[in-house]
Amino acid sequence: MRDLASMPISRCEPVRRFSWRQGQRHRPGLQFMVSTGRHHGFESIAEQRLLLALDFAGGVIDVLGQPFRLRFATGSGWREHIPDFLAVTAGGGLLIDVRPGERIGDDDRVCFAAAREAALAAGWSYLVVTGWRPHVQTGLDTLSAQRRPLRDPLGLQPELFTAVASGPRSFGDLVEATRLPAVARAHALHLIWHRRLGIDLSAPLNDATKVRASLGGAGR
């Protein structure tokens, strides 16, 4: 198990292919991640949301779906489990399973416990994603519209940083403090996505949302 840590993620492929067919009950697809610069496969909406959150969190170097097949012994016999994702981050490896909390049964808990032990042996962290707090995903969906590189020939981003330098301001007031509020909205969303401005994702994102300078601020 310790040898997993030396696995060359960039040259690996999922152990199980993502498939699309008529009438299937789950919804697979491809999610583009700015962090890696390419598309990544997912097998459900819950997995797609996890990839979007990973992209926003920052520090992601690479992501591999269906990274390996784990075979392990239990009191009732041998079992197999394929974790959903392995993320390589600036802080180390992160093995992830995605399962809505209401659908987790005893068999799932056994598989998750085995995956956690495998991650521990490899020196990785382990995480089971069971759901999200209200408003987080709608906020990330909105921010992701401006996650790609965005040129600023009008110099609006420095105006946004200046506007929050003395303290938090509502999103509406922040963009109105610039020379071109309509254009500044796109730049404000872009800066929030890249964590150069900060908001509370657990509240709805609207003109009343408080925006503050992040620790990195304009220097990032």
Side-chain angles (χ1 to χ4, degrees), residues 32 34-35 55-57 139-153 156-158 160-161 171 174-175 181-199 205 211-212 214 217-218 220:
F32 181 80
V34 173
S35 302
D55 206 16
F56 172 76
L140 289 181
D141 283 340
T142 301
L143 296 174
S144 67
Q146 300 296 339
R147 58 183 169 160
R148 295 176 185 267
L150 183 64
R151 294 178 61 248
D152 184 25
L156 295 176
Q157 292 185 15
L160 291 168
F161 290 126
F171 188 92
L174 174 62
V175 296
V183 181
R185 285 181 173 271
H187 285 278
L189 293 176
H190 178 79
L191 293 174
I192 295 170
W193 173 270
H194 289 280
R195 299 163 308 284
R196 297 177 67 185
L197 295 176
I199 63 170
L205 176 56
V211 182
R212 58 187 58 84
S214 68
R220 287 193 55 182

Side-chain angles (χ1 to χ4, degrees), residues 48-72:
Q48 181 186 26
R49 289 172 175 169
L50 180 275
L51 290 173
L52 185 65
L54 280 176
D55 206 16
F56 172 76
V60 174
I61 300 170
D62 208 345
V63 176
L64 175 63
Q66 318 283 343
F68 57 84
R69 188 185 307 273
L70 179 64
R71 189 168 185 262
F72 57 96

Side-chain angles (χ1 to χ4, degrees), residues 116-193:
R116 181 179 181 277
E117 291 300 315
L120 182 64
W124 301 329
S125 298
Y126 178 65
L127 179 67
V128 178
V129 178
T130 61
W132 301 92
R133 292 181 180 180
H135 311 299
V136 168
Q137 284 299 319
T138 53
L140 289 181
D141 283 340
T142 301
L143 296 174
S144 67
Q146 300 296 339
R147 58 183 169 160
R148 295 176 185 267
L150 183 64
R151 294 178 61 248
D152 184 25
L154 300 175
L156 295 176
Q157 292 185 15
E159 293 185 27
L160 291 168
F161 290 126
T162 300
V164 296
S166 58
R169 300 184 65 163
S170 69
F171 188 92
D173 288 343
L174 174 62
V175 296
E176 287 295 333
T178 67
R179 289 173 291 118
L180 295 170
V183 181
R185 285 181 173 271
H187 285 278
L189 293 176
H190 178 79
L191 293 174
I192 295 170
W193 173 270

Side-chain angles (χ1 to χ4, degrees), residues 16-21 24-32 40-53 65-66 82-85 96-103 112 129-132 137 141:
R16 184 176 64 199
R17 294 291 183 180
F18 297 95
S19 60
W20 293 264
R21 67 181 183 277
Q24 66 186 29
R25 299 181 64 181
H26 63 288
R27 182 181 169 185
L30 295 172
Q31 174 71 29
F32 181 80
H40 297 266
F42 60 84
E43 290 189 314
S44 66
I45 297 299
E47 291 187 7
Q48 181 186 26
R49 289 172 175 169
L50 180 275
L51 290 173
L52 185 65
Q66 318 283 343
I82 301 175
D84 292 315
F85 297 102
I96 306 170
D97 274 306
V98 182
R99 170 75 76 169
E102 68 276 7
R103 294 177 52 194
F112 296 160
V129 178
T130 61
W132 301 92
Q137 284 299 319
D141 283 340

